[in-house]
Amino acid sequence: MHAGRLAELLGRWSSGNEALYLKLAARLEALIERGEIPADGRLPTERALAAELAVSRNTAVAAYDVLRDHGLVERRRGSGTFVRRPPRPGRGVVAEFNPMFLHLLDPVPDLIDLTCAAPPQPACLPEVVAEAALGDLGIGYHPSGIPALRQAIAGFYAAQGLPTDPGQIVVTSGAQQAISLLAQLFLRPGDAVAVEELTYPGALDAFRGSGARILGVPLTADGVSVPGLAEVVAGAKLVYLVPAFQNPTGSVLPSHAARRVVALCESHGVPLVDDQVLAGLTLDGPRPTPLARHGGGVISVGSLSKLIWGGVRIGWVRADPRTAADLARLKAVADLGTDVVAQAVGVALFARLDRLRAERQCELRERRDQVVRDLRAALPSWEFRTPPGGQTLWIRLPGVDSRRFAQFALRYGVALLEGTSLAAHESSSEHIRVPFTLPREALSEAVRRLRQAWEDYPRANGAGLALSGAAVADECDGHATFPAERDDEPAGRGSPVRPGREHLR
Ligand SMILES: Cc1ncc(COP(=O)(O)O)c(C=O)c1O
């Protein structure tokens, strides 16, 4: 298995108080037990794994020794380390799985999580929940969504100059499900989907889950490259774009380019999905125009998750009535409809949307400006533009492999989303995505920890710092300052204690 892929699967293995080699061994053990590393699969060399994880080679050697002592791997002199234990029978393994989801599934206290960009729970929520009126919803199954919510969403589009019939709306469990249903509807294994070369990782996972081939279209400072899209559109079965405050770069596709994109897709008969989840988060300048304003066939995806809160899980699709009807069938198979109580809360939230959006924008603007100031002062070599909206900074760490730096930063109590997780194609990346959704004190603390990690990183890694560098100095591991690290030298390696469940994080 490639060391980079293994590092992704390992996720935040290095958080916690035990010695690094024990934490690494415990995490590898969990992956082997779950069958995520196939039996007979060859693990990366100690040197490659150490370089990828920004640890000393001793740490990798000791972790592999623990696995050998537990009977999980075989160490063959000269040819490598091989997994011995077969996975539990009768269980498939979820193959595509990005680090963002890993961090959600495996939360660690005291870690500042910069992998997921999501707003905090709004203070008014209890009030809104109390206000929510259910009315008579019959037996409660509404695969397309309850009438009041479909009406509210249709009104939301009408207010943006897009007259919409409620029959064009399908309510989903967040935009994530909307994207998954669209993938199910339009993509068969082997079909191609064109996306911006950097994009929302949840969409990449959904498309890969459908067995689709991903065609990454180059990005410019102004969103997707129209000539780049023109080159691939004929071979695609679906085009998926985030033209408003693009995730992760924050760019906005200008109207003239948006018109050309819509015309291009129409002329090739390829459905175009406009992911508008971030479109309401304007911080400077006007609200971007939905692509559907430029052509009738555009499918819009939206959600309350970023405007209000991800916990309500209210998303939707706006499409032509036939596509909406097809999606409703898929939605019925998926879950028979989104929870109607959450939908009633959604209706109450739509009634307050203008005020809540203004509050969210104000909060995000303050947090963005603060983190921009702090980063420019603390980490002047980091390169980024201040985005006009959205909720993330796209930062270049010059000359540094961001995956390795992300591994290193974990030991300072910060989880980062490295650029490769957002890339349509496997590549190394010098970029990280940093959200500014956390409270201001947490953002200040994150910058402080990142600065410390950055200061220690060159000293710790020497040649490992550069993208091309591979070797990691053996004495590097003792520098970690958070969470409190025990001496990394694997004491008592001859008879390691079998790690308990608490080590499996
Ligand atoms: C561009 C984009 N689309 C879709 C989603 C998924 O949103 P939801 O929480 O509504 O499922 C996200 C979440 O981060 C996103 O950034």
Side-chain angles (χ1 to χ4, degrees):
M1 176 175 278
H2 180 252
R5 175 67 187 142
L6 183 55
E8 268 173 26
L9 289 172
L10 284 165
R12 51 173 155 229
W13 66 276
S14 62
S15 341
N17 289 334
E18 304 81 26
L20 278 178
Y21 82 102
L22 281 178
K23 288 184 284 191
L24 179 56
R27 190 77 183 198
L28 284 166
E29 181 163 343
L31 290 174
I32 294 170
E33 299 270 4
R34 288 207 301 264
E36 297 199 37
I37 308 176
D40 293 332
R42 184 176 173 187
L43 291 173
T45 62
E46 294 137 2
R47 183 171 292 277
L49 184 64
E52 197 63 44
L53 301 180
V55 297
S56 73
R57 191 156 169 252
N58 281 350
T59 299
V61 171
Y64 280 177
D65 283 351
V66 172
L67 296 179
R68 182 203 51 214
D69 294 343
H70 291 173
L72 291 168
V73 301
E74 199 180 325
R75 312 267 269 141
R76 295 182 203 149
R77 190 167 280 282
S79 59
T81 303
F82 294 82
V83 175
R84 265 181 39 183
R85 172 165 305 182
R88 271 173 284 159
R91 284 277 300 274
V93 171
V94 179
E96 296 303 341
F97 197 61
N98 76 60
M100 191 184 74
F101 292 150
L102 232 162
H103 289 285
L104 290 179
L105 287 166
D106 195 7
V108 174
D110 296 333
L111 192 68
I112 300 182
D113 190 348
L114 298 181
T115 58
C116 200
Q121 183 172 338
C124 69
L125 199 66
E127 226 177 284
V128 178
V129 171
E131 262 172 30
L134 271 180
D136 180 2
L137 291 171
I139 61 166
Y141 293 107
H142 295 266
S144 301
I146 62 173
L149 184 56
R150 295 172 85 196
Q151 185 71 54
I153 297 168
F156 165 80
Y157 282 105
Q160 295 177 66
L162 273 172
T164 303
D165 185 272
Q168 291 177 257
I169 304 295
V170 180
V171 175
T172 55
S173 295
Q176 180 65 35
Q177 190 187 41
I179 299 166
S180 296
L181 295 179
L182 288 163
Q184 251 180 285
L185 184 60
F186 290 112
L187 299 171
R188 297 285 159 268
D191 285 350
V193 53
V195 303
E196 290 123 331
E197 63 187 347
L198 297 161
T199 190
Y200 167 56
L204 290 174
D205 281 359
F207 297 142
R208 288 179 184 136
S210 290
R213 283 180 297 123
I214 313 273
L215 304 175
V217 181
L219 274 162
T220 71
D222 288 328
V224 72
S225 150
V226 183
L229 184 61
E231 268 181 41
V232 299
V233 67
K237 286 282 191 311
L238 187 69
V239 174
Y240 164 86
L241 299 177
V242 188
F245 310 126
Q246 207 268 341
N247 185 356
T249 60
S251 65
V252 176
L253 190 69
S255 290
H256 61 88
R259 267 191 290 278
R260 287 172 61 204
V261 163
V262 172
L264 201 55
C265 292
E266 269 178 7
S267 67
H268 286 86
V270 181
L272 167 60
V273 176
D274 172 9
D275 182 334
Q276 293 207 295
V277 167
L278 304 166
L281 302 179
T282 305
L283 305 181
D284 309 317
R287 183 191 168 105
T289 309
L291 292 187
R293 284 276 296 277
H294 303 297
V298 177
I299 299 167
S300 311
V301 166
S303 157
L304 291 181
S305 299
K306 309 301 167 184
L307 279 175
I308 300 179
W309 189 45
V312 286
R313 305 308 302 134
I314 296 294
W316 60 84
V317 179
R318 176 193 183 274
D320 61 274
R322 186 172 153 221
T323 302
D326 286 345
L327 287 169
R329 289 177 177 210
L330 292 174
K331 170 74 178 161
V333 175
D335 61 9
L336 287 174
T338 294
D339 174 348
V340 294
V341 180
Q343 293 193 59
V345 172
V347 175
L349 288 169
F350 264 101
R352 300 174 175 228
L353 192 62
D354 289 345
R355 186 148 48 91
L356 290 173
R357 178 172 37 219
E359 284 169 14
R360 173 73 65 223
Q361 287 166 332
C362 186
E363 179 185 85
L364 273 175
R365 200 176 290 117
E366 271 177 24
R367 291 176 183 186
R368 177 198 64 180
D369 294 347
Q370 177 195 308
V371 85
V372 164
R373 254 193 328 270
D374 287 359
L375 281 170
R376 296 235 189 266
L379 292 151
S381 63
W382 287 19
E383 297 168 7
F384 58 92
R385 290 193 317 168
T386 303
Q391 43 181 12
T392 55
L393 301 177
W394 181 238
I395 301 178
R396 177 165 175 261
L397 315 181
V400 166
D401 182 330
S402 63
R403 190 151 60 186
R404 289 183 196 168
F405 181 67
Q407 286 286 338
F408 194 71
L410 266 180
R411 281 176 260 151
Y412 290 73
V414 184
L416 291 171
L417 194 64
E418 68 279 5
T420 42
S421 308
L422 300 124
H425 302 298
E426 179 77 18
S427 58
S428 60
S429 173
E430 296 180 327
H431 285 82
I432 53 172
R433 191 191 74 170
V434 171
F436 41 85
T437 44
L438 289 175
R440 292 174 65 173
E441 316 74 65
L443 287 173
S444 296
E445 178 60 16
V447 173
R448 198 192 62 72
R449 292 181 189 182
L450 286 172
R451 180 191 175 160
Q452 191 63 52
W454 185 252
E455 273 177 16
D456 293 347
Y457 188 62
R459 190 173 74 234
N461 283 275
L465 178 68
L467 267 174
S468 55
V472 177
D474 264 2
E475 63 276 13
C476 76
D477 287 342
H479 295 296
T481 57
F482 181 93
E485 284 290 352
R486 292 203 344 218
D487 184 2
D488 185 44
E489 261 322 297
R493 265 164 52 185
S495 53
V497 181
R498 189 182 167 87
R501 288 294 300 175
E502 71 277 14
H503 293 99
L504 295 180
R505 302 205 128 194

